[in-house]
Amino acid sequence: MLLDVIDKKICFGAEVITSRPHVSRPNMKKLIDFSKELSSLDEICYISFTDNAAGIPGFAPDILIEKAQENNLIPLVHLTSRDRNRGSLERMLWTMNCQGVKDILAITGDAPKSGWHGVGKRVFDLDSTGIICLMKNMNQGLQDTRGKKPVDLTVTDYDIGVAVNPFKMSEAETVLQYLK
């Protein structure tokens, strides 16, 4: 979806950070109102929703995705593996597919920094390349092989984006990030 728009015009986006201290009903209302304001600007095409930025817990962007779509803005959702195993990632991708989300930024995610009564354990069952592989396979069509006969699952149509942090301690680490 976003690629279709970018082909036709120069567009800008806004990033919405969904981690603490933004988690509250009044702040949610402000973010919804903000997306309405953004939709009135011709230059703004999409809203990018973070996934617990900086490793700090927050809320899932589900309601904001819906509101962005209602305001004719394309949701670009960050998806990280920090807190999720592959089953949870697949569930989230199926859910977003049903919501009509097509644009996903697959990133490994920041290490957890805080949480209720301490820091949560890292999951990282898949890294960003694993998420990309999962999404590519979903785009090609997965099969449920639990029964006697395999069942073809719904084919998705994700536009997959990635990000690389070039700020590493050594050039070798940076090169490895680019190759990944």
Side-chain angles (χ1 to χ4, degrees):
M1 272 177 107
L2 189 52
L3 291 175
D4 296 334
V5 174
I6 291 172
D7 279 346
K8 296 176 185 148
K9 69 176 187 173
I10 296 174
C11 71
F12 298 91
E15 183 168 271
V16 174
I17 298 172
T18 60
S19 55
R20 286 192 219 135
H22 308 289
V23 182
S24 71
R25 187 168 275 212
N27 282 340
M28 176 69 80
K29 171 100 171 74
K30 285 179 190 174
L31 290 173
I32 291 169
D33 291 343
F34 179 60
S35 74
K36 288 179 186 173
E37 289 177 39
L38 288 174
S39 69
S40 68
L41 303 172
D42 287 338
E43 299 85 10
I44 302 293
C45 303
Y46 69 93
I47 297 183
S48 177
F49 297 108
T50 64
D51 185 9
N52 297 339
I56 301 169
F59 59 84
D62 297 10
I63 192 162
L64 295 173
I65 289 170
E66 182 182 315
K67 295 299 179 184
Q69 291 168 326
E70 286 174 9
N71 291 306
N72 297 315
L73 293 169
I74 299 167
L76 171 61
V77 180
H78 300 203
L79 183 62
T80 69
S81 61
R82 174 197 52 252
D83 306 327
R84 301 177 187 97
N85 64 19
R86 65 192 66 211
S88 179
L89 290 163
E90 186 179 343
R91 175 191 53 81
M92 288 189 70
L93 288 165
W94 288 123
T95 301
M96 287 190 282
N97 184 62
C98 291
Q99 290 174 303
V101 173
K102 298 292 179 207
D103 301 284
I104 306 289
L105 183 63
I107 50 182
T108 302
D110 300 315
K113 301 233 178 10
S114 69
W116 177 75
H117 286 271
V119 178
K121 291 184 179 179
R122 303 173 186 195
V123 176
F124 296 114
D125 184 24
L126 302 175
D127 64 3
S128 56
T129 54
I131 297 171
I132 292 164
C133 185
L134 171 61
M135 293 174 67
K136 282 183 173 181
N137 281 291
M138 290 176 77
N139 281 350
Q140 294 166 354
L142 293 179
Q143 284 192 331
D144 185 345
T145 57
R146 290 176 297 158
K148 292 179 182 178
K149 188 175 177 186
V151 176
D152 292 332
L153 301 176
T154 303
V155 174
T156 59
D157 186 27
Y158 286 117
D159 289 329
I160 306 165
V162 296
V164 174
N165 179 358
F167 303 105
K168 299 295 179 186
M169 296 300 284
S170 70
E171 183 180 351
E173 285 180 302
T174 304
V175 170
L176 284 173
Q177 281 281 283
Y178 290 140
L179 294 173
K180 186 171 143 184

